[in-house]
Amino acid sequence: MVILIYFLTFIVLAALLFYLLGYGYLFSGISKTYLRGKTSANIDDGKFFTSNLITTESPKLWEEAPEYNKTDLPKNIVEDLIHSNTASFLVVKNGKLVHEQYWNGYHKLSKTNSFQWQKQ
């Protein structure tokens, strides 16, 4: 019983220390992912967190390249993207949009987390 009391005291002090050091957001992240049955962050987690709108007076759309969406992605790449539950896939070359494709009900105006890969 004494060991349990020491363990609980340690947990409470550790949590308090996390908050005092500015790491309280970790508890929010844990409660909004792991405690909802997820094993990691998800592209739709944004709706569970506060956000700040970044505005601009002159938003610019990606300029479409002349070959925009004229070539289908290779079948093996599409299969990999579908298998990994990808929401969208965009290809930008020389600052112009070459290809964009969406799956699982997502579209141009969907708000999700994003990830990029850049050829070096």
PDB file of all heavy atoms in Angstrom, residues 94-119:
ATOM      1  N   ASN A  94       8.295  22.991 -60.208  1.00  0.00           N
ATOM      2  CA  ASN A  94       8.685  24.356 -60.617  1.00  0.00           C
ATOM      3  C   ASN A  94       7.639  25.385 -60.205  1.00  0.00           C
ATOM      4  O   ASN A  94       7.326  26.308 -60.963  1.00  0.00           O
ATOM      5  CB  ASN A  94       8.945  24.420 -62.126  1.00  0.00           C
ATOM      6  CG  ASN A  94      10.077  23.514 -62.565  1.00  0.00           C
ATOM      7  OD1 ASN A  94      11.046  23.330 -61.825  1.00  0.00           O
ATOM      8  ND2 ASN A  94       9.957  22.934 -63.740  1.00  0.00           N
ATOM      9  N   GLY A  95       7.064  25.200 -59.016  1.00  0.00           N
ATOM     10  CA  GLY A  95       6.099  26.156 -58.493  1.00  0.00           C
ATOM     11  C   GLY A  95       4.713  26.089 -59.096  1.00  0.00           C
ATOM     12  O   GLY A  95       3.877  26.945 -58.823  1.00  0.00           O
ATOM     13  N   LYS A  96       4.443  25.077 -59.924  1.00  0.00           N
ATOM     14  CA  LYS A  96       3.123  24.954 -60.547  1.00  0.00           C
ATOM     15  C   LYS A  96       2.509  23.604 -60.223  1.00  0.00           C
ATOM     16  O   LYS A  96       3.201  22.591 -60.142  1.00  0.00           O
ATOM     17  CB  LYS A  96       3.236  25.122 -62.063  1.00  0.00           C
ATOM     18  CG  LYS A  96       3.675  26.524 -62.461  1.00  0.00           C
ATOM     19  CD  LYS A  96       3.724  26.679 -63.949  1.00  0.00           C
ATOM     20  CE  LYS A  96       4.196  28.091 -64.302  1.00  0.00           C
ATOM     21  NZ  LYS A  96       4.256  28.285 -65.741  1.00  0.00           N
ATOM     22  N   LEU A  97       1.201  23.605 -60.059  1.00  0.00           N
ATOM     23  CA  LEU A  97       0.466  22.387 -59.746  1.00  0.00           C
ATOM     24  C   LEU A  97       0.371  21.513 -60.991  1.00  0.00           C
ATOM     25  O   LEU A  97      -0.157  21.926 -62.015  1.00  0.00           O
ATOM     26  CB  LEU A  97      -0.930  22.750 -59.237  1.00  0.00           C
ATOM     27  CG  LEU A  97      -1.783  21.643 -58.660  1.00  0.00           C
ATOM     28  CD1 LEU A  97      -1.114  20.977 -57.473  1.00  0.00           C
ATOM     29  CD2 LEU A  97      -3.135  22.205 -58.243  1.00  0.00           C
ATOM     30  N   VAL A  98       0.920  20.297 -60.885  1.00  0.00           N
ATOM     31  CA  VAL A  98       0.938  19.373 -62.011  1.00  0.00           C
ATOM     32  C   VAL A  98      -0.175  18.339 -61.885  1.00  0.00           C
ATOM     33  O   VAL A  98      -0.794  17.948 -62.867  1.00  0.00           O
ATOM     34  CB  VAL A  98       2.310  18.661 -62.112  1.00  0.00           C
ATOM     35  CG1 VAL A  98       2.318  17.608 -63.204  1.00  0.00           C
ATOM     36  CG2 VAL A  98       3.416  19.671 -62.339  1.00  0.00           C
ATOM     37  N   HIS A  99      -0.427  17.896 -60.646  1.00  0.00           N
ATOM     38  CA  HIS A  99      -1.442  16.848 -60.443  1.00  0.00           C
ATOM     39  C   HIS A  99      -2.050  16.998 -59.059  1.00  0.00           C
ATOM     40  O   HIS A  99      -1.358  17.334 -58.103  1.00  0.00           O
ATOM     41  CB  HIS A  99      -0.787  15.467 -60.572  1.00  0.00           C
ATOM     42  CG  HIS A  99      -1.780  14.347 -60.485  1.00  0.00           C
ATOM     43  ND1 HIS A  99      -2.456  13.868 -61.589  1.00  0.00           N
ATOM     44  CD2 HIS A  99      -2.235  13.626 -59.430  1.00  0.00           C
ATOM     45  CE1 HIS A  99      -3.262  12.893 -61.219  1.00  0.00           C
ATOM     46  NE2 HIS A  99      -3.149  12.736 -59.910  1.00  0.00           N
ATOM     47  N   GLU A 100      -3.346  16.752 -58.957  1.00  0.00           N
ATOM     48  CA  GLU A 100      -3.999  16.659 -57.648  1.00  0.00           C
ATOM     49  C   GLU A 100      -5.104  15.623 -57.736  1.00  0.00           C
ATOM     50  O   GLU A 100      -5.786  15.488 -58.743  1.00  0.00           O
ATOM     51  CB  GLU A 100      -4.519  18.004 -57.156  1.00  0.00           C
ATOM     52  CG  GLU A 100      -5.656  18.605 -57.928  1.00  0.00           C
ATOM     53  CD  GLU A 100      -6.090  19.954 -57.377  1.00  0.00           C
ATOM     54  OE1 GLU A 100      -6.304  20.077 -56.155  1.00  0.00           O
ATOM     55  OE2 GLU A 100      -6.206  20.896 -58.179  1.00  0.00           O
ATOM     56  N   GLN A 101      -5.210  14.867 -56.640  1.00  0.00           N
ATOM     57  CA  GLN A 101      -6.199  13.792 -56.601  1.00  0.00           C
ATOM     58  C   GLN A 101      -6.654  13.611 -55.161  1.00  0.00           C
ATOM     59  O   GLN A 101      -5.859  13.784 -54.228  1.00  0.00           O
ATOM     60  CB  GLN A 101      -5.560  12.505 -57.141  1.00  0.00           C
ATOM     61  CG  GLN A 101      -6.543  11.420 -57.457  1.00  0.00           C
ATOM     62  CD  GLN A 101      -5.903  10.305 -58.292  1.00  0.00           C
ATOM     63  OE1 GLN A 101      -4.812  10.463 -58.835  1.00  0.00           O
ATOM     64  NE2 GLN A 101      -6.589   9.199 -58.382  1.00  0.00           N
ATOM     65  N   TYR A 102      -7.916  13.252 -54.973  1.00  0.00           N
ATOM     66  CA  TYR A 102      -8.511  13.141 -53.647  1.00  0.00           C
ATOM     67  C   TYR A 102      -9.208  11.795 -53.493  1.00  0.00           C
ATOM     68  O   TYR A 102      -9.700  11.228 -54.470  1.00  0.00           O
ATOM     69  CB  TYR A 102      -9.523  14.279 -53.428  1.00  0.00           C
ATOM     70  CG  TYR A 102      -8.881  15.636 -53.550  1.00  0.00           C
ATOM     71  CD1 TYR A 102      -8.815  16.285 -54.784  1.00  0.00           C
ATOM     72  CD2 TYR A 102      -8.318  16.252 -52.455  1.00  0.00           C
ATOM     73  CE1 TYR A 102      -8.203  17.521 -54.908  1.00  0.00           C
ATOM     74  CE2 TYR A 102      -7.705  17.493 -52.563  1.00  0.00           C
ATOM     75  CZ  TYR A 102      -7.649  18.108 -53.785  1.00  0.00           C
ATOM     76  OH  TYR A 102      -7.038  19.328 -53.902  1.00  0.00           O
ATOM     77  N   TRP A 103      -9.266  11.299 -52.248  1.00  0.00           N
ATOM     78  CA  TRP A 103      -9.938  10.038 -51.931  1.00  0.00           C
ATOM     79  C   TRP A 103     -10.727  10.193 -50.634  1.00  0.00           C
ATOM     80  O   TRP A 103     -10.573  11.166 -49.912  1.00  0.00           O
ATOM     81  CB  TRP A 103      -8.904   8.920 -51.728  1.00  0.00           C
ATOM     82  CG  TRP A 103      -8.097   8.592 -52.936  1.00  0.00           C
ATOM     83  CD1 TRP A 103      -8.417   7.702 -53.928  1.00  0.00           C
ATOM     84  CD2 TRP A 103      -6.840   9.144 -53.310  1.00  0.00           C
ATOM     85  NE1 TRP A 103      -7.425   7.670 -54.877  1.00  0.00           N
ATOM     86  CE2 TRP A 103      -6.441   8.548 -54.522  1.00  0.00           C
ATOM     87  CE3 TRP A 103      -5.992  10.089 -52.746  1.00  0.00           C
ATOM     88  CZ2 TRP A 103      -5.257   8.850 -55.168  1.00  0.00           C
ATOM     89  CZ3 TRP A 103      -4.808  10.401 -53.388  1.00  0.00           C
ATOM     90  CH2 TRP A 103      -4.456   9.786 -54.584  1.00  0.00           C
ATOM     91  N   ASN A 104     -11.535   9.189 -50.360  1.00  0.00           N
ATOM     92  CA  ASN A 104     -12.262   9.067 -49.080  1.00  0.00           C
ATOM     93  C   ASN A 104     -13.127  10.279 -48.744  1.00  0.00           C
ATOM     94  O   ASN A 104     -13.253  10.662 -47.587  1.00  0.00           O
ATOM     95  CB  ASN A 104     -11.285   8.802 -47.924  1.00  0.00           C
ATOM     96  CG  ASN A 104     -10.524   7.521 -48.104  1.00  0.00           C
ATOM     97  OD1 ASN A 104     -11.059   6.529 -48.596  1.00  0.00           O
ATOM     98  ND2 ASN A 104      -9.263   7.511 -47.721  1.00  0.00           N
ATOM     99  N   GLY A 105     -13.709  10.901 -49.758  1.00  0.00           N
ATOM    100  CA  GLY A 105     -14.611  12.020 -49.505  1.00  0.00           C
ATOM    101  C   GLY A 105     -13.931  13.364 -49.308  1.00  0.00           C
ATOM    102  O   GLY A 105     -14.598  14.363 -49.049  1.00  0.00           O
ATOM    103  N   TYR A 106     -12.624  13.422 -49.400  1.00  0.00           N
ATOM    104  CA  TYR A 106     -11.918  14.694 -49.273  1.00  0.00           C
ATOM    105  C   TYR A 106     -11.943  15.424 -50.611  1.00  0.00           C
ATOM    106  O   TYR A 106     -12.112  14.815 -51.660  1.00  0.00           O
ATOM    107  CB  TYR A 106     -10.465  14.460 -48.830  1.00  0.00           C
ATOM    108  CG  TYR A 106     -10.372  13.942 -47.422  1.00  0.00           C
ATOM    109  CD1 TYR A 106     -10.353  12.577 -47.156  1.00  0.00           C
ATOM    110  CD2 TYR A 106     -10.295  14.818 -46.341  1.00  0.00           C
ATOM    111  CE1 TYR A 106     -10.273  12.095 -45.869  1.00  0.00           C
ATOM    112  CE2 TYR A 106     -10.211  14.353 -45.044  1.00  0.00           C
ATOM    113  CZ  TYR A 106     -10.206  12.989 -44.813  1.00  0.00           C
ATOM    114  OH  TYR A 106     -10.125  12.518 -43.532  1.00  0.00           O
ATOM    115  N   HIS A 107     -11.775  16.742 -50.568  1.00  0.00           N
ATOM    116  CA  HIS A 107     -11.813  17.558 -51.785  1.00  0.00           C
ATOM    117  C   HIS A 107     -10.926  18.785 -51.577  1.00  0.00           C
ATOM    118  O   HIS A 107     -10.304  18.950 -50.518  1.00  0.00           O
ATOM    119  CB  HIS A 107     -13.257  17.962 -52.114  1.00  0.00           C
ATOM    120  CG  HIS A 107     -13.979  18.556 -50.950  1.00  0.00           C
ATOM    121  ND1 HIS A 107     -13.871  19.879 -50.599  1.00  0.00           N
ATOM    122  CD2 HIS A 107     -14.794  17.985 -50.038  1.00  0.00           C
ATOM    123  CE1 HIS A 107     -14.600  20.111 -49.526  1.00  0.00           C
ATOM    124  NE2 HIS A 107     -15.173  18.979 -49.158  1.00  0.00           N
ATOM    125  N   LYS A 108     -10.899  19.667 -52.578  1.00  0.00           N
ATOM    126  CA  LYS A 108     -10.013  20.839 -52.547  1.00  0.00           C
ATOM    127  C   LYS A 108     -10.167  21.698 -51.292  1.00  0.00           C
ATOM    128  O   LYS A 108      -9.216  22.310 -50.841  1.00  0.00           O
ATOM    129  CB  LYS A 108     -10.268  21.738 -53.762  1.00  0.00           C
ATOM    130  CG  LYS A 108      -9.734  21.226 -55.034  1.00  0.00           C
ATOM    131  CD  LYS A 108      -9.992  22.230 -56.156  1.00  0.00           C
ATOM    132  CE  LYS A 108      -9.424  21.694 -57.454  1.00  0.00           C
ATOM    133  NZ  LYS A 108      -9.434  22.698 -58.509  1.00  0.00           N
ATOM    134  N   LEU A 109     -11.350  21.761 -50.746  1.00  0.00           N
ATOM    135  CA  LEU A 109     -11.603  22.639 -49.605  1.00  0.00           C
ATOM    136  C   LEU A 109     -11.531  21.923 -48.259  1.00  0.00           C
ATOM    137  O   LEU A 109     -11.770  22.542 -47.229  1.00  0.00           O
ATOM    138  CB  LEU A 109     -12.965  23.323 -49.768  1.00  0.00           C
ATOM    139  CG  LEU A 109     -13.102  24.199 -51.016  1.00  0.00           C
ATOM    140  CD1 LEU A 109     -14.502  24.774 -51.105  1.00  0.00           C
ATOM    141  CD2 LEU A 109     -12.060  25.297 -51.050  1.00  0.00           C
ATOM    142  N   SER A 110     -11.198  20.634 -48.257  1.00  0.00           N
ATOM    143  CA  SER A 110     -11.089  19.888 -47.002  1.00  0.00           C
ATOM    144  C   SER A 110      -9.919  20.417 -46.177  1.00  0.00           C
ATOM    145  O   SER A 110      -8.880  20.782 -46.723  1.00  0.00           O
ATOM    146  CB  SER A 110     -10.870  18.399 -47.281  1.00  0.00           C
ATOM    147  OG  SER A 110     -11.961  17.843 -47.949  1.00  0.00           O
ATOM    148  N   LYS A 111     -10.109  20.461 -44.871  1.00  0.00           N
ATOM    149  CA  LYS A 111      -9.047  20.905 -43.973  1.00  0.00           C
ATOM    150  C   LYS A 111      -8.494  19.690 -43.239  1.00  0.00           C
ATOM    151  O   LYS A 111      -9.215  19.017 -42.518  1.00  0.00           O
ATOM    152  CB  LYS A 111      -9.586  21.930 -42.980  1.00  0.00           C
ATOM    153  CG  LYS A 111     -10.039  23.205 -43.641  1.00  0.00           C
ATOM    154  CD  LYS A 111     -10.587  24.180 -42.644  1.00  0.00           C
ATOM    155  CE  LYS A 111     -11.076  25.433 -43.341  1.00  0.00           C
ATOM    156  NZ  LYS A 111     -11.645  26.383 -42.412  1.00  0.00           N
ATOM    157  N   THR A 112      -7.235  19.423 -43.469  1.00  0.00           N
ATOM    158  CA  THR A 112      -6.552  18.311 -42.807  1.00  0.00           C
ATOM    159  C   THR A 112      -5.124  18.726 -42.514  1.00  0.00           C
ATOM    160  O   THR A 112      -4.648  19.764 -42.978  1.00  0.00           O
ATOM    161  CB  THR A 112      -6.505  17.050 -43.693  1.00  0.00           C
ATOM    162  OG1 THR A 112      -5.671  17.311 -44.824  1.00  0.00           O
ATOM    163  CG2 THR A 112      -7.886  16.623 -44.159  1.00  0.00           C
ATOM    164  N   ASN A 113      -4.432  17.899 -41.746  1.00  0.00           N
ATOM    165  CA  ASN A 113      -2.992  18.085 -41.585  1.00  0.00           C
ATOM    166  C   ASN A 113      -2.343  17.765 -42.924  1.00  0.00           C
ATOM    167  O   ASN A 113      -2.908  17.048 -43.739  1.00  0.00           O
ATOM    168  CB  ASN A 113      -2.443  17.145 -40.523  1.00  0.00           C
ATOM    169  CG  ASN A 113      -3.009  17.427 -39.157  1.00  0.00           C
ATOM    170  OD1 ASN A 113      -3.494  18.513 -38.887  1.00  0.00           O
ATOM    171  ND2 ASN A 113      -2.953  16.446 -38.286  1.00  0.00           N
ATOM    172  N   SER A 114      -1.168  18.272 -43.166  1.00  0.00           N
ATOM    173  CA  SER A 114      -0.502  17.980 -44.428  1.00  0.00           C
ATOM    174  C   SER A 114       0.944  17.561 -44.189  1.00  0.00           C
ATOM    175  O   SER A 114       1.548  17.901 -43.171  1.00  0.00           O
ATOM    176  CB  SER A 114      -0.552  19.191 -45.365  1.00  0.00           C
ATOM    177  OG  SER A 114       0.141  20.280 -44.795  1.00  0.00           O
ATOM    178  N   PHE A 115       1.464  16.833 -45.127  1.00  0.00           N
ATOM    179  CA  PHE A 115       2.831  16.354 -45.080  1.00  0.00           C
ATOM    180  C   PHE A 115       3.416  16.560 -46.460  1.00  0.00           C
ATOM    181  O   PHE A 115       2.721  16.450 -47.458  1.00  0.00           O
ATOM    182  CB  PHE A 115       2.875  14.867 -44.714  1.00  0.00           C
ATOM    183  CG  PHE A 115       2.107  14.563 -43.462  1.00  0.00           C
ATOM    184  CD1 PHE A 115       0.753  14.234 -43.526  1.00  0.00           C
ATOM    185  CD2 PHE A 115       2.705  14.639 -42.229  1.00  0.00           C
ATOM    186  CE1 PHE A 115       0.038  13.971 -42.380  1.00  0.00           C
ATOM    187  CE2 PHE A 115       1.988  14.369 -41.072  1.00  0.00           C
ATOM    188  CZ  PHE A 115       0.658  14.039 -41.152  1.00  0.00           C
ATOM    189  N   GLN A 116       4.686  16.846 -46.527  1.00  0.00           N
ATOM    190  CA  GLN A 116       5.285  17.050 -47.845  1.00  0.00           C
ATOM    191  C   GLN A 116       6.551  16.241 -47.983  1.00  0.00           C
ATOM    192  O   GLN A 116       7.234  15.931 -47.021  1.00  0.00           O
ATOM    193  CB  GLN A 116       5.577  18.526 -48.095  1.00  0.00           C
ATOM    194  CG  GLN A 116       6.830  19.049 -47.429  1.00  0.00           C
ATOM    195  CD  GLN A 116       7.113  20.482 -47.828  1.00  0.00           C
ATOM    196  OE1 GLN A 116       6.227  21.243 -48.148  1.00  0.00           O
ATOM    197  NE2 GLN A 116       8.364  20.846 -47.792  1.00  0.00           N
ATOM    198  N   TRP A 117       6.812  15.887 -49.204  1.00  0.00           N
ATOM    199  CA  TRP A 117       8.056  15.234 -49.573  1.00  0.00           C
ATOM    200  C   TRP A 117       8.658  16.057 -50.684  1.00  0.00           C
ATOM    201  O   TRP A 117       7.967  16.465 -51.615  1.00  0.00           O
ATOM    202  CB  TRP A 117       7.780  13.800 -50.061  1.00  0.00           C
ATOM    203  CG  TRP A 117       9.018  13.127 -50.544  1.00  0.00           C
ATOM    204  CD1 TRP A 117       9.995  12.564 -49.767  1.00  0.00           C
ATOM    205  CD2 TRP A 117       9.440  12.950 -51.897  1.00  0.00           C
ATOM    206  NE1 TRP A 117      10.980  12.051 -50.560  1.00  0.00           N
ATOM    207  CE2 TRP A 117      10.664  12.276 -51.880  1.00  0.00           C
ATOM    208  CE3 TRP A 117       8.904  13.312 -53.119  1.00  0.00           C
ATOM    209  CZ2 TRP A 117      11.356  11.942 -53.019  1.00  0.00           C
ATOM    210  CZ3 TRP A 117       9.589  12.978 -54.274  1.00  0.00           C
ATOM    211  CH2 TRP A 117      10.804  12.307 -54.210  1.00  0.00           C
ATOM    212  N   GLN A 118       9.918  16.322 -50.561  1.00  0.00           N
ATOM    213  CA  GLN A 118      10.570  17.149 -51.562  1.00  0.00           C
ATOM    214  C   GLN A 118      11.762  16.396 -52.103  1.00  0.00           C
ATOM    215  O   GLN A 118      12.625  15.939 -51.356  1.00  0.00           O
ATOM    216  CB  GLN A 118      11.013  18.462 -50.938  1.00  0.00           C
ATOM    217  CG  GLN A 118      11.613  19.421 -51.912  1.00  0.00           C
ATOM    218  CD  GLN A 118      11.891  20.770 -51.265  1.00  0.00           C
ATOM    219  OE1 GLN A 118      11.615  20.989 -50.100  1.00  0.00           O
ATOM    220  NE2 GLN A 118      12.438  21.677 -52.025  1.00  0.00           N
ATOM    221  N   LYS A 119      11.792  16.249 -53.414  1.00  0.00           N
ATOM    222  CA  LYS A 119      12.914  15.586 -54.061  1.00  0.00           C
ATOM    223  C   LYS A 119      14.133  16.483 -53.916  1.00  0.00           C
ATOM    224  O   LYS A 119      14.085  17.662 -54.181  1.00  0.00           O
ATOM    225  CB  LYS A 119      12.591  15.332 -55.529  1.00  0.00           C
ATOM    226  CG  LYS A 119      13.639  14.522 -56.231  1.00  0.00           C
ATOM    227  CD  LYS A 119      13.216  14.237 -57.658  1.00  0.00           C
ATOM    228  CE  LYS A 119      14.268  13.437 -58.360  1.00  0.00           C
ATOM    229  NZ  LYS A 119      13.909  13.150 -59.738  1.00  0.00           N
TER     230      LYS A 119
END
